[in-house]
Amino acid sequence: MSTSAGWDHPRTSLYTDHYELTMLQAALHSGAAHRKSVFEAFARRLPDGRRYGIVAGTGRLLEGIADFRFGDAELDFLRRTKVVNEETLEYLAGFSFAGDIWGYAEGEAYFPNSPVMIVESTFAEACILETYILSILNHDSAIASAASRMITAAGARPCIEMGSRRTHEESAVAAARAAVIAGFDSTSNLEAGRRYGIKTVGTAAHSFTLLHDTEREAFEAQIASMGAGTALLVDTYDVEAAVRTAVELAGDKLGAVRLDSGDLVAQAQWVRQLLDQLGNENTRIMVTSDLDEFAIAALQSAPVDLYGVGTSLVTGSGAPTASMVYKLVSHTDDAGTFVSVAKTAKNKASKGGRKYALRKLNDRGTATQELVGIGHRPDDDGNDRQLLQQFVKNGELLPGWTGPEGVLRAKQRHADSMKELPAAVNRLQRGEAAIPTIYEED
């Protein structure tokens, strides 16, 4: 497994719900726990106004499954609180996932009913992973989906992830990773940099300016310490005065000025004019302040060079979960034959059977539909692309999906996937999913 040096992944077996283990206990009692089973993670629908989603979190999930073990501390807790009986505790003491896991690669686009992840194992093994799988896929895919829309709105202008202070400390690390997968350039979060090899950036906040007796003294200290190429925050007091002071002190080597308040469109325009008048044509303008994809789109006409995004990103820009579910779709009967099973409840129906997914592409390489074969692999017409990748085989994690390498691969996969999608996806209008998901029965 590939992870950043020096990071010890925590044991993950209790990142789950009570009823996963009571289901296991009852299945062990009935004798059905060891039936071979197929579970599928998918989203029945996209959030309102969204036309596609982006898969993220797979690498983190695979690392966590490798550490999904029940040691003495976990077993003692379960025994003391009487969550499960001794037979179940004995099973858990030797637990190690030994099945197969397939899925859409991180960075890949998905649509309603896309089989984002498929787990093939015994019922017992797959059942107790449900909560952990959904908690990671739902969070990280929500962040990546929002980040992808922001990247689309930003065009060629880089985006920086800056949302750590707006979410849980571990969610902040996961959000930074998901944002970079969806095209963000860097993050302010140092732990994300350490674990996943992500570029980290940052200079100073308003408190640094307020600490000094004058804004000039603050700028002098920052430039002396970090060099003229630093980015100076110029809206603590008077923006025009700050820009003039910054240029006076750093000259035409000044890296950037950051705007964090006010009418960002109008302000960026006259700050750009002022910088150019002062001979600083190469000094960039960075904007922050509660940006989302719509604010970024509104700034397209402004002379902005890069965006810093925080709150809206780490909360999924109005959709904090990807609404994925995890359903049993097939299992063996007493004779060892696989039978398809599906939920039929109103508005929550699922489709039984093991799935195989293919993206249909036309002669121009544009996606036209997601074709999902039930029990068979759909035919490739020559232009099409099979979507399911194998991540785990017989319990062994296959290389390339975790650690910094996994993040780089996922970022490239996102870029490639976006090229396949219709131009309509790259606009922020409301509408149905960009391409339909079609089931192809046996």
Side-chain angles (χ1 to χ4, degrees):
M1 178 182 297
S2 174
T3 58
S4 294
W7 179 49
D8 294 326
H9 199 289
R11 186 166 283 163
T12 55
S13 56
L14 294 187
Y15 290 175
T16 192
D17 287 322
H18 186 116
Y19 84 147
E20 310 291 5
L21 300 190
T22 52
M23 275 197 293
L24 169 64
Q25 176 175 309
L28 288 170
H29 178 78
S30 72
H34 302 295
R35 284 182 169 181
K36 293 181 180 179
S37 300
V38 180
F39 278 79
E40 176 187 330
F42 63 96
R44 291 192 179 95
R45 61 189 65 85
L46 298 172
D48 289 345
R50 301 287 176 89
R51 305 201 67 199
Y52 67 100
I54 298 296
V55 178
T58 309
R60 292 204 310 119
L61 174 59
L62 296 173
E63 291 174 353
I65 290 175
D67 289 295
F68 203 95
R69 301 285 191 277
F70 293 84
D72 291 342
E74 290 77 22
L75 294 171
D76 287 347
F77 165 75
L78 296 174
R79 179 178 290 109
R80 185 176 69 253
T81 55
K82 297 180 171 57
V83 174
V84 290
N85 61 19
E86 286 299 323
E87 178 191 7
T88 308
L89 290 171
E90 183 178 345
Y91 172 85
L92 294 175
F95 178 82
S96 175
F97 183 78
D100 296 343
I101 300 177
W102 298 73
Y104 284 33
E106 280 194 277
E108 186 68 77
Y110 70 88
F111 303 95
N113 301 308
S114 294
V116 170
M117 181 165 285
I118 294 172
V119 179
E120 300 175 308
S121 63
T122 64
F123 176 86
E125 292 175 274
C127 168
I128 63 175
L129 294 179
E130 175 179 2
T131 300
Y132 190 57
I133 286 173
L134 289 179
S135 65
I136 290 181
L137 289 182
N138 270 317
H139 174 269
D140 290 26
S141 296
I143 305 304
S145 298
S148 179
R149 287 160 58 85
M150 294 171 186
I151 287 296
T152 293
R157 297 170 178 176
C159 291
I160 302 169
E161 186 281 315
M162 302 172 62
S164 295
R165 64 193 63 193
R166 300 294 188 231
T167 188
H168 182 279
E169 63 272 19
E170 279 298 322
S171 296
V173 180
R177 182 183 181 280
V180 168
I181 284 171
F184 270 56
D185 177 73
S186 53
T187 179
S188 65
N189 190 284
L190 292 174
E191 183 62 18
R194 182 174 80 99
R195 289 187 196 178
Y196 302 113
I198 297 170
K199 181 172 73 173
T200 62
V201 297
T203 52
H206 291 101
S207 60
F208 179 78
T209 301
L210 294 168
L211 169 69
H212 293 79
D213 294 335
T214 66
E215 190 170 57
R216 174 179 289 272
E217 290 179 8
F219 286 178
E220 285 176 337
Q222 186 173 330
I223 292 167
S225 175
M226 301 179 188
T230 190
L232 294 174
L233 180 57
V234 295
D235 72 337
T236 305
Y237 305 117
D238 179 85
V239 175
E240 180 178 352
V243 171
R244 291 183 181 278
T245 300
V247 172
E248 178 188 340
L249 295 173
D252 61 5
K253 299 295 191 294
L254 177 62
V257 295
R258 177 160 75 94
L259 304 174
D260 188 53
S261 58
D263 183 339
L264 295 175
V265 174
Q267 195 166 226
Q269 289 172 340
W270 69 256
V271 167
R272 178 74 273 159
Q273 292 174 354
L274 178 58
L275 287 168
D276 292 349
Q277 290 170 6
L278 296 172
N280 280 49
E281 292 88 351
N282 294 323
T283 296
R284 298 183 298 168
I285 297 176
M286 175 184 180
V287 297
T288 52
S289 185
D290 292 328
L291 300 181
D292 60 12
E293 61 266 48
F294 301 103
I296 292 172
L299 283 160
Q300 285 180 337
S301 62
V304 173
D305 296 288
L306 64 162
Y307 305 99
V309 190
T311 303
S312 288
L313 176 68
V314 299
T315 57
S317 195
T321 174
S323 298
M324 290 191 191
V325 295
Y326 182 78
K327 299 299 178 185
L328 178 67
V329 295
S330 182
H331 66 77
T332 54
D333 59 18
D334 290 338
T337 302
F338 272 99
V339 293
S340 295
V341 294
K343 185 175 178 179
T344 59
K346 185 179 180 180
N347 298 325
K348 289 191 174 183
S350 57
K351 198 81 170 179
R354 208 282 195 188
K355 314 297 192 308
Y356 298 84
L358 177 142
R359 186 163 297 159
K360 301 291 291 183
L361 305 174
N362 63 22
D363 292 340
R364 297 183 301 278
T366 299
T368 58
Q369 65 180 222
E370 205 99 318
L371 187 59
V372 178
I374 301 178
H376 72 284
R377 193 181 301 275
D379 291 334
D380 182 345
D381 292 339
N383 296 319
D384 307 329
R385 186 164 64 84
Q386 299 288 342
L387 292 168
L388 292 173
Q389 308 288 329
Q390 187 164 18
F391 306 131
V392 177
K393 183 176 182 179
N394 297 325
E396 294 295 322
L397 175 61
L398 301 180
W401 301 109
T402 58
E405 179 187 358
V407 173
L408 289 175
R409 288 183 63 178
K411 187 171 185 176
Q412 184 59 54
R413 178 66 260 153
H414 173 264
D416 292 342
S417 185
M418 289 296 96
K419 293 175 184 177
E420 293 178 354
L421 297 179
V425 171
N426 296 329
R427 297 195 294 268
L428 298 177
Q429 83 276 21
R430 296 184 178 275
E432 299 298 322
I435 60 175
T437 304
I438 308 297
Y439 284 117
E440 186 177 84
E441 305 283 351
D442 259 333

